[in-house]
Amino acid sequence: MEREKFSSRLGFILISAGCAIGLGNVWRFPYIVGKYGGAAFVLIYLLFLVVLGLPIVVMEFSVGRASRKSAALSFDVLEPKGSKWHLGKGIAIAGNYILMMFYTTVGGWMILYFFKMIKGDFTGMSAEAVAGEFGGMLANPGLMMVFMVITVLICFGVCALGLQKGVERITKAMMLCLLCLMVVLAVHSVLLEGGSEGLKFYLMPDFGKMVETGIGEAVFAALGQSFFTLSIGIGALAIFGSYIGKEQRLTGEAVNVTVLDTLVAFMAGLIIFPACSAYNIEPQAGPSLIFITLPNVFNHMVGGRLWGTLFFMFMSFAAFSTVIAVFQNIISFATDLTGCTIKKAVLVNIVLITILSIPCVLGFNLWSGFMPLGPESTVLDLEDFVLSNNLLPIGSMVYLVFCTSRYGWGFKNFLAEANEGKGLKFPAWARIYVSYILPLIVLLIFIQGYWSKFAG
């Protein structure tokens, strides 16, 4: 059966960007930008994004387009006879499933809070009561299970419609709405009375603050964020390369995806910092920012119920864009490996993903005594650690070495695939960098991830 293709280049760019754009863009990026010196940190981050993340994105796209397969079979198609590169599929398959084991739960939180905002549940609440609402949700496994299942059913329902009629058409509309919502929210936040201090904090370079927190720590934070923001290394982007034609060179497409991902992360800061400054509320990292800090901000704001509803609509779209993209990859694993129909792959994986997502839900309540990474840690923290600190860097290393080594696909084959079509070329002179220096940087990130987790 001939492989489906995207109906438009815009569809490919928006869906690939949707896979990269995730909740970390909103609840992690703005916070670490503020922590490490505002615009000074952004400049370092952008540098690392270009020299570190971009080449691996191009490699994933190239492997996908050359093989016309998902990561389940792409190495089998391209590897030299007798080699074992196909074993790398295990990292990709595990990475996509583990990501969905906790992402579906968090996506469910976004839908629930969207409805809470519409109903006005937070209106008139004190800061303590808002925090109590979040704690009450985490303590209620039944409620979280319902919204986790809703997320699974909606997103697999989109995938069941097919690539063009489902994934492409719906994700394009969702991503365009997401970008429009961000512009509206950012403009409103920037114009708030008293928001200028937050804007200054976010956009004015403060090298003194970077020195204060530690330049080395800031550099590693920028390095890590640039690497993990694109979800590279588990074939989540390679699958979309397998659906794209040969008309465009892949470096330009990778640049487009990276720019969109960065734009969303940057605009999240424009929404959050001026609003927090206007109402003297300290921004925090992680879920507390989204589910405690920002509902408090909206409570103080004129028309806050409307703005809060729009914000959680945007957050739901951000979550869904990633879930749909990864579900499409998971479905492709099944169809490539077994030859089954898309509908059968969808039905089996609805059951499988739902079961696999249960530990994350229970980790906040019935299994809260299980603290795998130390005090206050949960099942979600463990799943995120396995993915972010292990499978993403290891998988990225596999793609790097496969695309540059003469024992793998080889740099010549990679370069020919990446540069087929028109647009921005991947430079041949970068061979030394991507073959030797970049793998060392990825290894350093891998080691630093463990060091910061267990020795920091």
Side-chain angles (χ1 to χ4, degrees):
M1 186 172 67
E2 188 179 346
R3 193 168 190 79
E4 278 193 279
K5 289 185 179 180
F6 289 115
S7 64
S8 68
R9 183 186 176 200
L10 178 63
F12 165 72
I13 293 169
L14 288 177
I15 294 165
S16 299
C19 183
I21 292 167
L23 304 177
N25 292 65
V26 182
W27 73 32
R28 187 167 187 268
F29 180 78
Y31 177 81
I32 63 171
V33 167
K35 181 179 179 181
Y36 293 112
F41 177 87
V42 172
L43 294 174
I44 298 173
Y45 165 74
L46 291 175
L47 173 66
F48 284 137
L49 201 63
V50 171
V51 301
L52 175 62
L54 193 62
I56 303 176
V57 174
V58 179
M59 288 176 183
E60 280 208 34
F61 282 159
S62 298
V63 168
R65 191 170 73 173
S67 65
R68 292 292 176 198
K69 300 290 182 184
S70 70
L73 285 182
S74 56
F75 292 110
D76 300 68
V77 172
L78 301 178
E79 69 182 358
K81 282 188 177 181
S83 62
K84 301 293 182 183
W85 290 98
H86 58 274
L87 298 177
K89 74 179 70 172
I91 296 171
I93 293 171
N96 282 268
Y97 275 101
I98 291 172
L99 176 58
M100 290 300 99
M101 285 168 67
F102 62 88
Y103 218 94
T104 50
T105 297
V106 181
W109 296 351
M110 299 303 167
I111 307 172
L112 176 59
Y113 266 64
F114 170 70
F115 285 115
K116 280 179 173 290
M117 278 291 174
I118 287 180
K119 292 192 301 174
D121 286 358
F122 299 107
T123 304
M125 275 191 180
S126 66
E128 292 76 17
V130 171
E133 280 287 304
F134 184 54
M137 179 192 73
L138 295 182
N140 189 336
L143 182 65
M144 283 204 291
M145 201 87 73
V146 166
F147 280 90
M148 176 268 287
V149 171
I150 289 172
T151 302
V152 171
L153 291 176
I154 289 173
C155 295
F156 268 126
V158 172
C159 295
L161 295 173
L163 181 70
Q164 288 187 16
K165 293 181 180 178
V167 176
E168 182 176 0
R169 185 178 64 181
I170 293 171
T171 304
K172 272 168 67 174
M174 197 163 56
M175 286 294 294
L176 291 172
C177 287
L178 182 153
L179 294 171
C180 289
L181 282 172
M182 288 211 80
V183 171
V184 171
L185 288 164
V187 169
H188 176 263
S189 192
V190 166
L191 294 177
L192 285 172
E193 186 177 345
S196 58
E197 282 302 310
L199 204 60
K200 182 179 175 183
F201 172 76
Y202 184 51
L203 297 180
M204 293 291 288
D206 187 349
F207 291 98
K209 187 163 188 178
M210 187 176 287
V211 171
E212 184 183 310
T213 57
I215 292 178
E217 187 179 334
V219 167
F220 265 112
L223 202 63
Q225 179 68 13
S226 66
F227 181 76
F228 296 121
T229 187
L230 296 169
S231 297
I232 45 182
I234 55 172
L237 293 175
I239 182 62
F240 300 116
S242 75
Y243 297 128
I244 191 69
K246 304 274 189 177
E247 297 82 14
Q248 297 290 328
R249 289 173 179 151
L250 294 173
T251 302
E253 307 299 69
V255 168
N256 291 330
V257 170
T258 304
V259 166
L260 269 177
D261 177 77
T262 305
L263 179 66
V264 169
F266 177 75
M267 289 184 69
L270 292 181
I271 295 168
I272 291 164
F273 283 108
C276 287
S277 170
Y279 300 106
N280 295 314
I281 295 174
E282 282 293 317
Q284 305 173 62
S288 297
L289 172 67
I290 305 300
F291 300 107
I292 298 175
T293 302
L294 288 177
N296 276 317
V297 169
F298 295 130
N299 264 351
H300 288 83
M301 194 180 287
V302 176
R305 183 172 165 185
L306 168 65
W307 295 111
T309 300
L310 291 176
F311 178 80
F312 280 102
M313 181 187 294
F314 144 64
M315 289 301 296
S316 298
F317 286 164
F320 280 8
S321 68
T322 300
V323 174
I324 290 169
V326 176
F327 277 0
Q328 181 64 24
N329 208 12
I330 286 172
I331 289 168
S332 294
F333 291 157
T335 55
D336 283 351
L337 286 171
T338 69
C340 68
T341 63
I342 290 174
K343 289 188 177 177
K344 184 175 181 180
V346 165
L347 291 173
V348 170
N349 277 289
I350 284 175
V351 176
L352 186 56
I353 295 290
T354 300
I355 293 171
L356 289 173
S357 299
I358 291 173
C360 179
V361 171
L362 299 183
F364 293 99
N365 35 76
L366 299 180
W367 294 359
S368 58
F370 176 56
M371 301 178 190
L373 299 177
E376 306 302 319
S377 65
T378 64
V379 173
L380 185 152
D381 296 315
L382 175 62
E383 292 168 345
D384 183 42
F385 175 74
V386 170
L387 177 72
S388 299
N389 292 74
N390 294 273
L391 297 181
L392 292 183
I394 293 170
S396 294
M397 187 73 82
V398 170
Y399 274 100
L400 272 170
V401 179
F402 182 68
C403 289
T404 58
S405 170
R406 62 191 177 95
Y407 299 106
W409 190 31
F411 187 77
K412 188 181 292 185
N413 289 325
F414 155 68
L415 196 66
E417 182 63 43
N419 288 341
E420 186 166 347
K422 57 184 179 180
L424 188 63
K425 292 182 71 173
F426 192 95
W429 53 259
R431 179 172 188 169
I432 298 296
Y433 171 71
V434 296
S435 299
Y436 302 104
I437 300 172
L438 188 49
L440 287 176
I441 296 174
V442 174
L443 181 61
L444 196 63
I445 292 173
F446 178 71
I447 295 170
Q448 170 65 15
Y450 269 85
W451 178 261
S452 61
K453 180 67 71 173
F454 296 111

